[in-house]
Amino acid sequence: MTALEPSDAAVAAEAAPPAPPAPSPAVDSGGDGILGRTHRGLSVGIICVVLLIAFEATAVGTAMPVAARELRGVSLYAFAFSAYFTTSLFAMVLSGQWADRSGPLRPLVTGITAFAAGLLLSGTAGAMWLFIAGRAVQGLGGGLVIVALYVVVSRAYPERLRPAIMAAFAASWVIPSVVGPLASGTVTEHLGWRWVFVGIPVLVVLPLATALPAIRQMAAGPADHAAPVPAFDRRRIRLALAISLGAGLLQYAGQDLSWWSLLPGAAGAALIVPAVLGLLPPGTYRAARGMPSVVLLRGVAAGSFIAAESFVPLMLVTQRGLSPTLAGLSLAVGGATWALGSYIQSRPRMEPHRERLLMGGMALVAASIAAAPSVLIEWVPVWVVGVAWAVGCLGMGAVIASTSVLLLKLSPPEEAGTNSAALQISDGLSNVLLLAAGGAAFAALGGGAVGAHDLTSTNASHPAAFAAVFLPMAAVALAGVWVATRVRTR
């Protein structure tokens, strides 16, 4: 549900005077909830930030097929999504260290600024590669923002309120999930897809004006103001660069589909493997109990679901002849069920059953992904996709929020940034790798042929190209059911 490089805003932020020491975030203000007097301003502000990200994701996803067609880049369709995740990997590590070192305020400001700049770059692009570059800049900003928000939650909210604020984050996707596709589809059809991208940055003003004062008051500065400020871990920064570069090379190799692509593919794997081992908790690759399995499960859930979801609008537009608006609206109900799943996990009585909740959630995700390509059969009604995705989003709401809660529960305050970065790296890297694999399968089976035809033609590409994306992702999600059994330490 779901990073940008330090720009001039980062330099300005570094030059700003440090914020005054904030009150200890560990203090529990009795019975106050997330909208009680103590946390109301902060909660509204950071929920506004999530609302912006949610609106961008739902609106841009609806406009993406039309943008790819106009820029003659449907064969690079997966790149438009994976470029975001590739660059966010580096920004997540940077944001985690930056937030642990001097607080989450500066990486948050820098991230929102870069996020808006990336939207403007994509919206004014004249070629597909420039469009993809804009998405990469967005990814840098998104990575900074998401990790900084986790640090805010860790510092400013007592443990009993964290499930509730995570549920509120999920709930903030409901309105964008309904309004975003409709608004984006209408704008795309009547004004053009570019207005979807260049119009969203206007929404940056509200989150900045609402969130930053509250964050400065409650979560600014290092976790321990009396301790010396730690230096940036240059080794982890180098590993972050390696993982981003390696992911980009793997994505390129997956799209090229030639013998020459073996070289960048091998180079990408050589960069990623040691970087992953250095950045993720030891034992993540073998699903060791506790924190490693929490981090791994996040990647399995997010990667399989997002890789599949990225192809849903394209499948509905090209195979069933839906308009971009209707294709986007087919996923709209998912926002409500995602919020419902997150709400369910936030109930205090669910805490003893969190492992079972995770297992059930992953089973729902696997079933929904497997059911979606049934609409490739002509007599299957299109609304089946909407129902399937509503079920999958219910599972994702429970799984994503629960992994976030478990991670913060297992993290000391001074390590919240680093551990949150590990969680988001698992999320982002799995998105890149599975999008690369899905994009390669899609292109190999003729998916790129849609670029040579009208976008609404139902004969534009082979149905098998879409099935080759969805069915393997369903198998990955099913493996997540087993990983969910190992999130608790024994």
Side-chain angles (χ1 to χ4, degrees):
M1 258 86 218
T2 48
L4 293 171
E5 71 185 9
S7 60
D8 291 340
V11 176
E14 289 287 7
S24 172
V27 174
D28 194 337
S29 53
D32 271 0
I34 62 171
L35 294 180
R37 184 178 59 182
T38 303
H39 294 95
R40 183 185 300 121
L42 178 62
S43 297
V44 171
I46 61 177
I47 288 171
C48 283
V49 174
V50 177
L51 192 70
L52 166 67
I53 296 173
F55 190 81
E56 181 274 340
T58 55
V60 167
T62 302
M64 198 77 77
V66 178
R69 173 68 178 89
E70 183 175 314
L71 296 174
R72 301 181 181 276
V74 174
S75 62
L76 301 175
Y77 186 76
F79 262 128
F81 290 95
S82 63
Y84 180 101
F85 299 116
T86 299
T87 54
S88 70
L89 294 172
F90 169 74
M92 289 169 186
V93 176
L94 178 64
S95 184
Q97 291 200 36
W98 197 355
D100 283 344
R101 181 175 181 266
S102 58
L105 183 62
R106 293 171 179 175
L108 187 63
V109 172
T110 304
I112 292 177
T113 301
F115 192 79
L119 283 166
L120 292 174
L121 180 58
S122 289
T124 56
M128 190 62 177
W129 280 107
L130 191 57
F131 179 88
I132 292 170
R135 292 287 292 165
V137 175
Q138 277 184 259
L140 287 167
L144 289 175
V145 169
I146 191 63
V147 173
L149 285 178
Y150 271 67
V151 177
V152 170
V153 171
S154 173
R155 294 190 181 184
Y157 294 85
E159 186 174 322
R160 69 176 181 85
L161 291 181
R162 291 172 189 167
I165 191 64
M166 292 299 175
F169 284 173
S172 67
W173 281 74
V174 175
I175 294 177
S177 295
V178 176
V179 176
L182 179 61
S184 175
T186 302
V187 171
T188 298
E189 292 178 21
H190 296 285
L191 298 178
W193 63 268
R194 296 181 185 277
W195 286 100
V196 175
F197 287 83
V198 300
I200 291 176
V202 177
L203 302 177
V204 169
V205 177
L206 178 61
L208 282 176
T210 308
L212 298 187
I215 294 173
R216 181 180 293 276
Q217 179 183 0
M218 299 187 68
D224 185 353
H225 290 275
V229 177
F232 279 103
D233 187 338
R234 295 184 179 181
R235 175 179 173 274
R236 291 184 66 85
I237 296 295
R238 289 194 297 269
L239 290 175
L241 286 170
I243 204 172
S244 294
L245 179 58
L249 289 171
L250 283 177
Q251 176 68 19
Y252 174 80
Q255 292 294 123
D256 189 37
L257 296 181
S258 68
W259 287 107
W260 290 106
S261 66
L262 293 177
L263 293 176
L271 287 169
I272 282 181
V273 171
V276 167
L277 294 176
L279 292 173
L280 300 187
T284 298
Y285 72 94
R286 56 182 174 84
R289 288 196 176 276
M291 178 79 77
S293 286
V294 172
V295 171
L296 178 61
L297 181 61
R298 179 58 163 265
V300 169
S304 59
F305 193 77
I306 297 300
E309 185 178 58
S310 299
F311 284 87
V312 169
L314 189 65
M315 178 175 67
L316 294 177
V317 169
T318 62
Q319 300 302 301
R320 298 302 297 265
L322 269 65
S323 68
T325 302
L326 290 178
L329 284 175
S330 68
L331 306 179
V333 71
T337 56
W338 190 305
L340 177 61
S342 187
Y343 172 79
I344 291 171
Q345 68 78 37
S346 73
R347 298 297 84 197
R349 63 178 176 270
M350 294 303 298
E351 183 60 35
H353 310 291
R354 196 168 291 278
E355 181 179 309
R356 292 183 181 179
L357 186 65
L358 287 168
M359 293 171 61
M362 289 308 304
L364 293 179
V365 171
S368 70
I369 297 174
S374 64
V375 298
L376 294 169
I377 303 171
E378 189 64 31
W379 53 265
V380 175
V382 172
W383 54 259
V384 167
V385 170
V387 173
W389 229 247
V391 170
C393 285
L394 178 67
M396 285 294 289
V399 171
I400 296 300
S402 290
T403 53
S404 300
V405 170
L406 286 171
L407 177 114
L408 294 178
K409 182 177 182 179
L410 296 170
S411 300
E414 66 275 8
E415 296 177 6
T418 297
N419 290 340
S420 296
L423 187 76
Q424 297 302 325
I425 287 170
S426 177
D427 187 319
L429 181 61
S430 65
N431 284 330
V432 172
L433 296 181
L434 292 179
L435 273 169
F442 182 73
L445 293 178
V450 69
H453 302 274
D454 184 84
L455 190 59
T456 59
S457 171
T458 57
N459 297 314
S461 64
H462 301 293
F466 290 97
V469 174
F470 287 94
L471 298 183
M473 299 308 155
V476 172
L478 191 60
V481 177
W482 173 76
V483 178
T485 66
R486 302 181 60 80
V487 297
R488 287 196 183 273
T489 57
R490 300 301 185 188

